[in-house]
Amino acid sequence: QVQVVGSGGGSVQVGESLKLSCKAHGYIFTKCGLGFYRQLPGKERELVSMFKDDGTPIYADSVVGRFSISRDNLKNTLILQMNSLKTEDTAVYYCATDRSTWCTGGICYPCHYDGQGAQVTVSS
């Protein structure tokens, strides 16, 4: 069973919008630090956005004011709304967990999951 399933992405023009979704199963959605990452050509994967443990969203400086993260708890789905896209947003976007570990009742569960990447291409 695929634990983390990402969807969305595509090709748009500068200034347009796209939405990415990420559906995760069980504790992965509720207990792991699930977020959106991206990998630009020739660069390391970077965090785009995620929720902190207290529910506060955090964003990469480069997307503040343009991207918005939300979650649908009934559907176990994380959503990234990307507005005012720029050419420099072109990357492969991933939904992934933060490599933490969730422990309960003496049992620990890994939070080491990646969804499939989605290509986002923004052209001028």
Side-chain angles (χ1 to χ4, degrees), residues 49-67:
S49 183
M50 69 180 298
F51 285 102
K52 294 169 56 179
D53 289 345
D54 64 2
T56 304
I58 57 174
Y59 299 96
D61 289 343
S62 59
V63 307
V64 170
R66 300 187 298 119
F67 291 13

Side-chain angles (χ1 to χ4, degrees), residues 4-116:
V4 177
V5 180
S7 61
S11 296
V12 296
Q13 300 289 313
V14 168
E16 294 184 339
S17 300
L18 281 173
K19 184 169 70 174
L20 300 177
S21 297
C22 176
K23 185 175 178 65
H25 294 275
Y27 81 91
I28 301 169
F29 182 77
T30 58
K31 302 297 184 182
C32 294
L34 188 65
F36 290 97
Y37 297 75
R38 70 184 180 187
Q39 187 162 19
L40 282 67
K43 295 192 175 182
E44 297 289 321
R45 184 185 294 195
E46 63 176 7
L47 175 67
V48 178
S49 183
M50 69 180 298
F51 285 102
K52 294 169 56 179
D53 289 345
D54 64 2
T56 304
I58 57 174
Y59 299 96
D61 289 343
S62 59
V63 307
V64 170
R66 300 187 298 119
F67 291 13
S68 177
I69 192 170
S70 61
R71 57 192 298 154
D72 184 335
N73 292 328
L74 293 179
K75 297 181 179 180
N76 277 22
T77 299
L78 201 64
I79 299 162
L80 184 69
Q81 179 65 45
M82 305 185 291
N83 298 329
S84 302
L85 283 161
K86 304 176 179 180
T87 55
E88 50 264 46
D89 294 318
T90 294
V92 178
Y93 286 71
Y94 299 86
C95 176
T97 55
D98 62 358
R99 303 307 191 251
S100 62
T101 302
W102 174 57
C103 297
T104 181
I107 300 173
C108 291
Y109 301 88
C111 292
H112 294 199
Y113 294 96
D114 292 341
Q116 70 272 28

